[in-house]
Amino acid sequence: MSMMSSVVRWMRALPHRGSGRLCPVCKAEAKVFLPFGSPRRSEALCWRCHSLERQRFLWHFLETRCKPNYPDNADFLHLAPESCLATGLKRWYPTGYVSADLLRDDVDVKLDVTDSHLPDERFDMICCSHVLEHVDDDRAAIREIYRMLKAGGTALLMVPITEEVTYEDPNVTSPEEREEKFGQSDHVRAYGQDFVDRVMEVAGEHLSVVRPEDILDQESLLRMGINDRAGDIYLMEKPQASGQ
């Protein structure tokens, strides 16, 4: 984001300053979260760190459920890193945090998530949020993420679920068609509730789904601006080897 865009967004946020809302990522308070998106949705964007609903839910889960179980020397792979989360994760894991992306230059590692060439069992945690819907072979990506997990490690997967059953068509290649059929010009599928089956092909029974309402009451959901748009977190765990 350019400096001018940041200044404009900051000025637009001024009328919303106050209390009633709290961003769990940057701890900023506000009267309400800012509208964002196309079509526009209310209570979406934090005025300070620009986190969205799913990022606030993911951060809250990481902070309250993951960080206590993984010390500051844990190895953490952050795929397609969101800037609003990266700063805090680097602070938590100063020696083990690795950011990665296929196309971006502002990351630690350029990485194809379907064939990373990184060692087996390299990371304690892997965060992959809203990435797989961009990947042609998402099953290969899920297998690769699982391969890179240490025994006892956890991958946090998030994807937009917009259908009952996943819809994909390799013949749909133009940005215009993809936006029409998959909801975004760079998506290659629209996921359905059967996404869980794709993960279970790799993780088997070592998969759980965490919904916002599972860990937050209604008052906290409202205060943090976490709603149905946040989606669920799919926890893919690699079990410890027998005898450990």
Side-chain angles (χ1 to χ4, degrees):
M1 182 180 296
S2 69
M3 178 65 73
M4 181 60 69
S5 297
S6 296
V7 170
V8 169
R9 184 165 289 171
W10 181 84
M11 292 180 66
R12 287 177 178 172
L14 284 174
H16 301 280
R17 301 291 174 82
S19 60
R21 300 290 185 268
L22 175 68
C23 175
V25 181
C26 68
K27 314 307 181 190
E29 291 193 83
K31 292 179 182 177
V32 293
F33 289 99
L34 301 178
F36 185 78
S38 179
R40 218 69 164 164
R41 61 186 190 273
S42 61
E43 297 275 10
L45 187 79
C46 172
W47 66 266
R48 178 185 285 168
C49 72
H50 306 145
S51 65
L52 296 170
E53 305 95 328
R54 68 178 183 267
Q55 292 152 357
R56 293 192 290 273
F57 175 42
L58 178 58
W59 181 263
H60 176 78
F61 185 82
L62 284 164
E63 186 173 39
T64 61
R65 305 300 171 101
C66 296
K67 187 172 183 289
N69 297 319
Y70 290 95
D72 59 9
N73 63 347
D75 293 310
F76 191 110
L77 177 63
H78 194 181
L79 297 168
E82 307 94 330
S83 58
C84 61
L85 306 184
T87 300
L89 289 168
K90 290 177 186 177
R91 185 174 65 249
W92 288 355
Y93 304 109
T95 61
Y97 175 83
V98 177
S99 60
D101 193 90
L102 179 61
L103 302 175
R104 287 165 51 180
D105 294 321
D106 62 337
V107 292
D108 299 317
V109 176
K110 285 213 170 186
L111 176 150
D112 180 349
V113 72
T114 66
D115 186 15
S116 74
H117 301 292
L118 293 177
D120 292 351
E121 302 198 351
R122 169 69 175 81
F123 297 100
D124 297 288
M125 282 185 288
I126 300 175
C127 183
C128 179
S129 177
H130 285 235
V131 173
L132 295 173
E133 65 272 16
H134 300 268
V135 178
D136 288 332
D137 191 349
D138 62 334
R139 287 180 166 91
I142 295 168
R143 290 194 298 270
E144 183 71 354
I145 290 169
Y146 190 81
R147 181 191 67 79
M148 290 189 288
L149 275 181
K150 294 179 184 179
T154 301
L156 299 90
L157 311 177
M158 298 183 80
V159 297
I161 303 292
T162 59
E163 307 291 333
E164 284 297 317
V165 178
T166 298
Y167 171 62
E168 54 190 335
D169 182 349
N171 296 313
V172 176
T173 57
S174 74
E176 295 78 15
E177 274 191 293
R178 286 179 170 178
E179 183 161 7
E180 177 187 352
K181 294 182 180 295
F182 306 140
Q184 195 165 305
S185 61
D186 55 353
H187 286 187
V188 298
R189 69 184 58 81
Y191 279 116
Q193 299 296 330
D194 57 336
F195 173 70
V196 68
D197 298 327
R198 298 191 180 212
V199 183
M200 290 184 71
E201 290 173 9
V202 176
E205 63 182 12
H206 301 287
L207 172 71
S208 56
V209 183
V210 182
R211 300 170 177 83
E213 60 270 22
D214 293 339
I215 62 173
L216 288 162
D217 59 32
Q218 288 302 312
E219 181 179 352
S220 299
L221 290 170
L222 178 62
R223 181 163 169 74
M224 295 183 192
I226 298 171
N227 51 39
D228 293 344
R229 293 283 306 185
D232 302 331
I233 300 172
Y234 297 81
L235 295 179
M236 182 171 66
E237 299 177 295
K238 180 178 282 190
Q240 293 280 4
S242 58
Q244 291 189 339

PDB file of all heavy atoms in Angstrom, residues 171-193:
ATOM      1  N   ASN A 171     -10.832 -25.871 -17.730  1.00  0.00           N
ATOM      2  CA  ASN A 171     -11.044 -25.149 -18.981  1.00  0.00           C
ATOM      3  C   ASN A 171     -11.378 -23.675 -18.754  1.00  0.00           C
ATOM      4  O   ASN A 171     -11.372 -22.889 -19.699  1.00  0.00           O
ATOM      5  CB  ASN A 171     -12.164 -25.808 -19.787  1.00  0.00           C
ATOM      6  CG  ASN A 171     -11.798 -27.218 -20.227  1.00  0.00           C
ATOM      7  OD1 ASN A 171     -10.702 -27.443 -20.735  1.00  0.00           O
ATOM      8  ND2 ASN A 171     -12.702 -28.166 -20.011  1.00  0.00           N
ATOM      9  N   VAL A 172     -11.687 -23.329 -17.511  1.00  0.00           N
ATOM     10  CA  VAL A 172     -11.956 -21.932 -17.183  1.00  0.00           C
ATOM     11  C   VAL A 172     -10.618 -21.270 -16.874  1.00  0.00           C
ATOM     12  O   VAL A 172     -10.023 -21.512 -15.821  1.00  0.00           O
ATOM     13  CB  VAL A 172     -12.917 -21.818 -15.974  1.00  0.00           C
ATOM     14  CG1 VAL A 172     -13.118 -20.354 -15.591  1.00  0.00           C
ATOM     15  CG2 VAL A 172     -14.249 -22.476 -16.291  1.00  0.00           C
ATOM     16  N   THR A 173     -10.132 -20.463 -17.782  1.00  0.00           N
ATOM     17  CA  THR A 173      -8.779 -19.901 -17.644  1.00  0.00           C
ATOM     18  C   THR A 173      -8.730 -18.381 -17.676  1.00  0.00           C
ATOM     19  O   THR A 173      -7.773 -17.794 -17.178  1.00  0.00           O
ATOM     20  CB  THR A 173      -7.858 -20.445 -18.745  1.00  0.00           C
ATOM     21  OG1 THR A 173      -8.427 -20.138 -20.021  1.00  0.00           O
ATOM     22  CG2 THR A 173      -7.695 -21.961 -18.621  1.00  0.00           C
ATOM     23  N   SER A 174      -9.707 -17.736 -18.266  1.00  0.00           N
ATOM     24  CA  SER A 174      -9.637 -16.273 -18.371  1.00  0.00           C
ATOM     25  C   SER A 174     -10.022 -15.649 -17.033  1.00  0.00           C
ATOM     26  O   SER A 174     -10.855 -16.190 -16.292  1.00  0.00           O
ATOM     27  CB  SER A 174     -10.576 -15.764 -19.458  1.00  0.00           C
ATOM     28  OG  SER A 174     -11.930 -15.832 -19.027  1.00  0.00           O
ATOM     29  N   PRO A 175      -9.414 -14.508 -16.708  1.00  0.00           N
ATOM     30  CA  PRO A 175      -9.762 -13.828 -15.456  1.00  0.00           C
ATOM     31  C   PRO A 175     -11.245 -13.505 -15.348  1.00  0.00           C
ATOM     32  O   PRO A 175     -11.832 -13.618 -14.262  1.00  0.00           O
ATOM     33  CB  PRO A 175      -8.914 -12.550 -15.507  1.00  0.00           C
ATOM     34  CG  PRO A 175      -7.771 -12.882 -16.399  1.00  0.00           C
ATOM     35  CD  PRO A 175      -8.326 -13.816 -17.421  1.00  0.00           C
ATOM     36  N   GLU A 176     -11.859 -13.144 -16.476  1.00  0.00           N
ATOM     37  CA  GLU A 176     -13.275 -12.783 -16.460  1.00  0.00           C
ATOM     38  C   GLU A 176     -14.137 -13.999 -16.115  1.00  0.00           C
ATOM     39  O   GLU A 176     -15.060 -13.911 -15.283  1.00  0.00           O
ATOM     40  CB  GLU A 176     -13.700 -12.217 -17.814  1.00  0.00           C
ATOM     41  CG  GLU A 176     -13.038 -10.903 -18.185  1.00  0.00           C
ATOM     42  CD  GLU A 176     -11.609 -11.076 -18.683  1.00  0.00           C
ATOM     43  OE1 GLU A 176     -11.217 -12.221 -19.021  1.00  0.00           O
ATOM     44  OE2 GLU A 176     -10.876 -10.061 -18.724  1.00  0.00           O
ATOM     45  N   GLU A 177     -13.845 -15.137 -16.733  1.00  0.00           N
ATOM     46  CA  GLU A 177     -14.607 -16.354 -16.451  1.00  0.00           C
ATOM     47  C   GLU A 177     -14.369 -16.824 -15.018  1.00  0.00           C
ATOM     48  O   GLU A 177     -15.306 -17.272 -14.345  1.00  0.00           O
ATOM     49  CB  GLU A 177     -14.184 -17.462 -17.417  1.00  0.00           C
ATOM     50  CG  GLU A 177     -14.899 -17.465 -18.735  1.00  0.00           C
ATOM     51  CD  GLU A 177     -14.610 -18.744 -19.487  1.00  0.00           C
ATOM     52  OE1 GLU A 177     -13.432 -18.927 -19.887  1.00  0.00           O
ATOM     53  OE2 GLU A 177     -15.526 -19.557 -19.665  1.00  0.00           O
ATOM     54  N   ARG A 178     -13.133 -16.735 -14.575  1.00  0.00           N
ATOM     55  CA  ARG A 178     -12.836 -17.182 -13.218  1.00  0.00           C
ATOM     56  C   ARG A 178     -13.556 -16.323 -12.182  1.00  0.00           C
ATOM     57  O   ARG A 178     -14.047 -16.840 -11.174  1.00  0.00           O
ATOM     58  CB  ARG A 178     -11.325 -17.172 -12.977  1.00  0.00           C
ATOM     59  CG  ARG A 178     -10.613 -18.312 -13.680  1.00  0.00           C
ATOM     60  CD  ARG A 178      -9.122 -18.296 -13.467  1.00  0.00           C
ATOM     61  NE  ARG A 178      -8.509 -19.529 -13.949  1.00  0.00           N
ATOM     62  CZ  ARG A 178      -7.206 -19.770 -13.932  1.00  0.00           C
ATOM     63  NH1 ARG A 178      -6.369 -18.870 -13.460  1.00  0.00           N
ATOM     64  NH2 ARG A 178      -6.743 -20.933 -14.385  1.00  0.00           N
ATOM     65  N   GLU A 179     -13.618 -15.036 -12.429  1.00  0.00           N
ATOM     66  CA  GLU A 179     -14.353 -14.180 -11.487  1.00  0.00           C
ATOM     67  C   GLU A 179     -15.829 -14.542 -11.471  1.00  0.00           C
ATOM     68  O   GLU A 179     -16.453 -14.585 -10.407  1.00  0.00           O
ATOM     69  CB  GLU A 179     -14.170 -12.711 -11.860  1.00  0.00           C
ATOM     70  CG  GLU A 179     -14.847 -11.780 -10.878  1.00  0.00           C
ATOM     71  CD  GLU A 179     -14.324 -10.364 -10.952  1.00  0.00           C
ATOM     72  OE1 GLU A 179     -13.528 -10.057 -11.861  1.00  0.00           O
ATOM     73  OE2 GLU A 179     -14.724  -9.572 -10.096  1.00  0.00           O
ATOM     74  N   GLU A 180     -16.370 -14.838 -12.636  1.00  0.00           N
ATOM     75  CA  GLU A 180     -17.779 -15.195 -12.714  1.00  0.00           C
ATOM     76  C   GLU A 180     -18.070 -16.530 -12.037  1.00  0.00           C
ATOM     77  O   GLU A 180     -19.037 -16.665 -11.289  1.00  0.00           O
ATOM     78  CB  GLU A 180     -18.221 -15.258 -14.181  1.00  0.00           C
ATOM     79  CG  GLU A 180     -19.668 -15.694 -14.361  1.00  0.00           C
ATOM     80  CD  GLU A 180     -20.033 -15.918 -15.821  1.00  0.00           C
ATOM     81  OE1 GLU A 180     -19.206 -15.597 -16.705  1.00  0.00           O
ATOM     82  OE2 GLU A 180     -21.136 -16.431 -16.070  1.00  0.00           O
ATOM     83  N   LYS A 181     -17.205 -17.528 -12.284  1.00  0.00           N
ATOM     84  CA  LYS A 181     -17.504 -18.878 -11.816  1.00  0.00           C
ATOM     85  C   LYS A 181     -16.918 -19.188 -10.438  1.00  0.00           C
ATOM     86  O   LYS A 181     -17.488 -19.976  -9.685  1.00  0.00           O
ATOM     87  CB  LYS A 181     -16.989 -19.902 -12.837  1.00  0.00           C
ATOM     88  CG  LYS A 181     -17.718 -19.844 -14.166  1.00  0.00           C
ATOM     89  CD  LYS A 181     -17.222 -20.878 -15.125  1.00  0.00           C
ATOM     90  CE  LYS A 181     -17.952 -20.814 -16.456  1.00  0.00           C
ATOM     91  NZ  LYS A 181     -19.385 -21.138 -16.339  1.00  0.00           N
ATOM     92  N   PHE A 182     -15.758 -18.571 -10.113  1.00  0.00           N
ATOM     93  CA  PHE A 182     -15.075 -18.903  -8.860  1.00  0.00           C
ATOM     94  C   PHE A 182     -15.057 -17.752  -7.855  1.00  0.00           C
ATOM     95  O   PHE A 182     -14.550 -17.920  -6.747  1.00  0.00           O
ATOM     96  CB  PHE A 182     -13.627 -19.337  -9.147  1.00  0.00           C
ATOM     97  CG  PHE A 182     -13.510 -20.462 -10.144  1.00  0.00           C
ATOM     98  CD1 PHE A 182     -12.501 -20.461 -11.097  1.00  0.00           C
ATOM     99  CD2 PHE A 182     -14.405 -21.527 -10.142  1.00  0.00           C
ATOM    100  CE1 PHE A 182     -12.377 -21.488 -12.026  1.00  0.00           C
ATOM    101  CE2 PHE A 182     -14.297 -22.566 -11.073  1.00  0.00           C
ATOM    102  CZ  PHE A 182     -13.289 -22.537 -12.010  1.00  0.00           C
ATOM    103  N   GLY A 183     -15.568 -16.585  -8.269  1.00  0.00           N
ATOM    104  CA  GLY A 183     -15.685 -15.478  -7.334  1.00  0.00           C
ATOM    105  C   GLY A 183     -14.540 -14.503  -7.319  1.00  0.00           C
ATOM    106  O   GLY A 183     -14.629 -13.438  -6.711  1.00  0.00           O
ATOM    107  N   GLN A 184     -13.419 -14.858  -7.994  1.00  0.00           N
ATOM    108  CA  GLN A 184     -12.272 -13.959  -8.051  1.00  0.00           C
ATOM    109  C   GLN A 184     -11.453 -14.317  -9.278  1.00  0.00           C
ATOM    110  O   GLN A 184     -11.345 -15.497  -9.641  1.00  0.00           O
ATOM    111  CB  GLN A 184     -11.425 -14.070  -6.778  1.00  0.00           C
ATOM    112  CG  GLN A 184     -10.431 -12.934  -6.588  1.00  0.00           C
ATOM    113  CD  GLN A 184      -9.880 -12.879  -5.179  1.00  0.00           C
ATOM    114  OE1 GLN A 184     -10.628 -12.811  -4.209  1.00  0.00           O
ATOM    115  NE2 GLN A 184      -8.560 -12.917  -5.049  1.00  0.00           N
ATOM    116  N   SER A 185     -10.841 -13.313  -9.890  1.00  0.00           N
ATOM    117  CA  SER A 185     -10.197 -13.535 -11.184  1.00  0.00           C
ATOM    118  C   SER A 185      -8.984 -14.443 -11.119  1.00  0.00           C
ATOM    119  O   SER A 185      -8.578 -15.016 -12.131  1.00  0.00           O
ATOM    120  CB  SER A 185      -9.795 -12.188 -11.802  1.00  0.00           C
ATOM    121  OG  SER A 185      -8.873 -11.515 -10.963  1.00  0.00           O
ATOM    122  N   ASP A 186      -8.366 -14.578  -9.935  1.00  0.00           N
ATOM    123  CA  ASP A 186      -7.191 -15.445  -9.813  1.00  0.00           C
ATOM    124  C   ASP A 186      -7.467 -16.713  -9.019  1.00  0.00           C
ATOM    125  O   ASP A 186      -6.543 -17.406  -8.606  1.00  0.00           O
ATOM    126  CB  ASP A 186      -6.011 -14.687  -9.211  1.00  0.00           C
ATOM    127  CG  ASP A 186      -6.347 -14.044  -7.870  1.00  0.00           C
ATOM    128  OD1 ASP A 186      -7.530 -14.072  -7.463  1.00  0.00           O
ATOM    129  OD2 ASP A 186      -5.423 -13.525  -7.218  1.00  0.00           O
ATOM    130  N   HIS A 187      -8.740 -17.038  -8.813  1.00  0.00           N
ATOM    131  CA  HIS A 187      -9.096 -18.315  -8.190  1.00  0.00           C
ATOM    132  C   HIS A 187      -9.248 -19.382  -9.273  1.00  0.00           C
ATOM    133  O   HIS A 187      -9.667 -19.080 -10.394  1.00  0.00           O
ATOM    134  CB  HIS A 187     -10.411 -18.194  -7.416  1.00  0.00           C
ATOM    135  CG  HIS A 187     -10.288 -17.433  -6.135  1.00  0.00           C
ATOM    136  ND1 HIS A 187     -11.320 -17.330  -5.228  1.00  0.00           N
ATOM    137  CD2 HIS A 187      -9.250 -16.739  -5.602  1.00  0.00           C
ATOM    138  CE1 HIS A 187     -10.925 -16.599  -4.196  1.00  0.00           C
ATOM    139  NE2 HIS A 187      -9.674 -16.236  -4.398  1.00  0.00           N
ATOM    140  N   VAL A 188      -8.915 -20.615  -8.925  1.00  0.00           N
ATOM    141  CA  VAL A 188      -9.052 -21.711  -9.883  1.00  0.00           C
ATOM    142  C   VAL A 188     -10.143 -22.693  -9.472  1.00  0.00           C
ATOM    143  O   VAL A 188     -10.375 -23.682 -10.171  1.00  0.00           O
ATOM    144  CB  VAL A 188      -7.709 -22.455 -10.076  1.00  0.00           C
ATOM    145  CG1 VAL A 188      -6.664 -21.525 -10.652  1.00  0.00           C
ATOM    146  CG2 VAL A 188      -7.217 -23.066  -8.772  1.00  0.00           C
ATOM    147  N   ARG A 189     -10.811 -22.421  -8.376  1.00  0.00           N
ATOM    148  CA  ARG A 189     -11.957 -23.231  -7.941  1.00  0.00           C
ATOM    149  C   ARG A 189     -12.748 -22.453  -6.906  1.00  0.00           C
ATOM    150  O   ARG A 189     -12.238 -21.504  -6.308  1.00  0.00           O
ATOM    151  CB  ARG A 189     -11.497 -24.584  -7.369  1.00  0.00           C
ATOM    152  CG  ARG A 189     -10.762 -24.501  -6.053  1.00  0.00           C
ATOM    153  CD  ARG A 189     -10.250 -25.849  -5.589  1.00  0.00           C
ATOM    154  NE  ARG A 189      -9.364 -26.439  -6.582  1.00  0.00           N
ATOM    155  CZ  ARG A 189      -8.077 -26.110  -6.716  1.00  0.00           C
ATOM    156  NH1 ARG A 189      -7.530 -25.192  -5.927  1.00  0.00           N
ATOM    157  NH2 ARG A 189      -7.321 -26.664  -7.629  1.00  0.00           N
ATOM    158  N   ALA A 190     -13.980 -22.912  -6.698  1.00  0.00           N
ATOM    159  CA  ALA A 190     -14.804 -22.412  -5.603  1.00  0.00           C
ATOM    160  C   ALA A 190     -15.020 -23.583  -4.654  1.00  0.00           C
ATOM    161  O   ALA A 190     -15.616 -24.593  -5.034  1.00  0.00           O
ATOM    162  CB  ALA A 190     -16.136 -21.876  -6.114  1.00  0.00           C
ATOM    163  N   TYR A 191     -14.498 -23.468  -3.445  1.00  0.00           N
ATOM    164  CA  TYR A 191     -14.560 -24.579  -2.499  1.00  0.00           C
ATOM    165  C   TYR A 191     -15.956 -24.740  -1.907  1.00  0.00           C
ATOM    166  O   TYR A 191     -16.689 -23.768  -1.683  1.00  0.00           O
ATOM    167  CB  TYR A 191     -13.561 -24.367  -1.363  1.00  0.00           C
ATOM    168  CG  TYR A 191     -12.151 -24.763  -1.705  1.00  0.00           C
ATOM    169  CD1 TYR A 191     -11.130 -23.818  -1.751  1.00  0.00           C
ATOM    170  CD2 TYR A 191     -11.826 -26.091  -1.969  1.00  0.00           C
ATOM    171  CE1 TYR A 191      -9.828 -24.177  -2.050  1.00  0.00           C
ATOM    172  CE2 TYR A 191     -10.528 -26.462  -2.278  1.00  0.00           C
ATOM    173  CZ  TYR A 191      -9.534 -25.504  -2.325  1.00  0.00           C
ATOM    174  OH  TYR A 191      -8.247 -25.871  -2.638  1.00  0.00           O
ATOM    175  N   GLY A 192     -16.263 -26.002  -1.612  1.00  0.00           N
ATOM    176  CA  GLY A 192     -17.487 -26.350  -0.916  1.00  0.00           C
ATOM    177  C   GLY A 192     -17.182 -26.989   0.426  1.00  0.00           C
ATOM    178  O   GLY A 192     -16.023 -27.087   0.844  1.00  0.00           O
ATOM    179  N   GLN A 193     -18.234 -27.451   1.065  1.00  0.00           N
ATOM    180  CA  GLN A 193     -18.086 -28.063   2.379  1.00  0.00           C
ATOM    181  C   GLN A 193     -17.228 -29.329   2.331  1.00  0.00           C
ATOM    182  O   GLN A 193     -16.718 -29.786   3.354  1.00  0.00           O
ATOM    183  CB  GLN A 193     -19.472 -28.405   2.956  1.00  0.00           C
ATOM    184  CG  GLN A 193     -20.377 -27.198   3.148  1.00  0.00           C
ATOM    185  CD  GLN A 193     -19.838 -26.213   4.162  1.00  0.00           C
ATOM    186  OE1 GLN A 193     -19.138 -26.588   5.102  1.00  0.00           O
ATOM    187  NE2 GLN A 193     -20.145 -24.933   3.977  1.00  0.00           N
TER     188      GLN A 193
END
